Amino acid sequence: MKKFIRQQEDFICINCGHSVIGNGYTNHCSKCLYSVHVDINPGDRQSECYGLMKPVDVITKGGQPLDLVYQCQKCKIIKNNIINNLDSIETIIAIMRDKVKREMLR
């Protein structure tokens, strides 16, 4: 059973260097949206992978973005995370545009 563990942590994004102020639910950079694979279950900090989690997709409902989809660049696990109001709209749109381009090339 998954149980969320709130971890209020500030961090410097290892992908883009942006300074992120955490609120206890923050687990990705609000600028580039990258994360680090530190959890097995949300907030537990039990993963030993520490790979860079690349945002690869955006799940939408009714045209509104809901979740970011991440893929770990080290172990290849895929995880979702809720988009928050501080996340860069430009980066969200770029992720969606890149997905469309990849699908068109298939």
Side-chain angles (χ1 to χ4, degrees):
M1 178 174 156
K2 292 183 180 181
K3 181 178 179 186
F4 178 79
I5 301 168
R6 187 172 184 211
Q7 297 282 349
Q8 189 165 352
E9 302 163 323
D10 299 340
F11 60 93
I12 303 295
C13 177
I14 63 171
N15 183 63
C16 74
H18 181 69
S19 179
V20 179
I21 297 174
N23 65 9
Y25 302 102
T26 308
N27 80 335
H28 61 271
C29 176
S30 57
K31 183 177 178 184
C32 72
L33 307 181
Y34 274 72
S35 184
V36 176
H37 187 186
V38 295
D39 296 339
I40 294 173
N41 295 312
D44 68 10
R45 304 302 187 258
Q46 296 296 308
S47 175
E48 295 179 3
C49 178
Y50 288 87
L52 194 59
M53 299 288 283
K54 179 181 180 180
V56 295
D57 197 2
V58 177
I59 297 173
T60 61
K61 182 176 182 181
Q64 298 299 312
L66 297 175
D67 283 350
L68 294 170
V69 179
Y70 290 96
Q71 183 171 34
C72 180
Q73 301 302 287
K74 185 175 177 183
C75 74
K76 305 303 180 194
I77 194 169
I78 294 176
K79 293 190 172 213
N80 292 2
N81 190 38
I82 297 170
I83 292 172
N84 71 55
N85 61 346
L86 297 177
D87 290 343
S88 167
I89 298 298
E90 293 82 10
T91 306
I92 292 169
I93 291 168
I95 293 165
M96 295 170 76
R97 184 175 42 240
D98 289 346
K99 179 188 175 193
V100 171
K101 285 181 185 177
R102 286 191 311 268
E103 289 177 358
M104 290 175 65
L105 293 174
R106 288 185 185 175

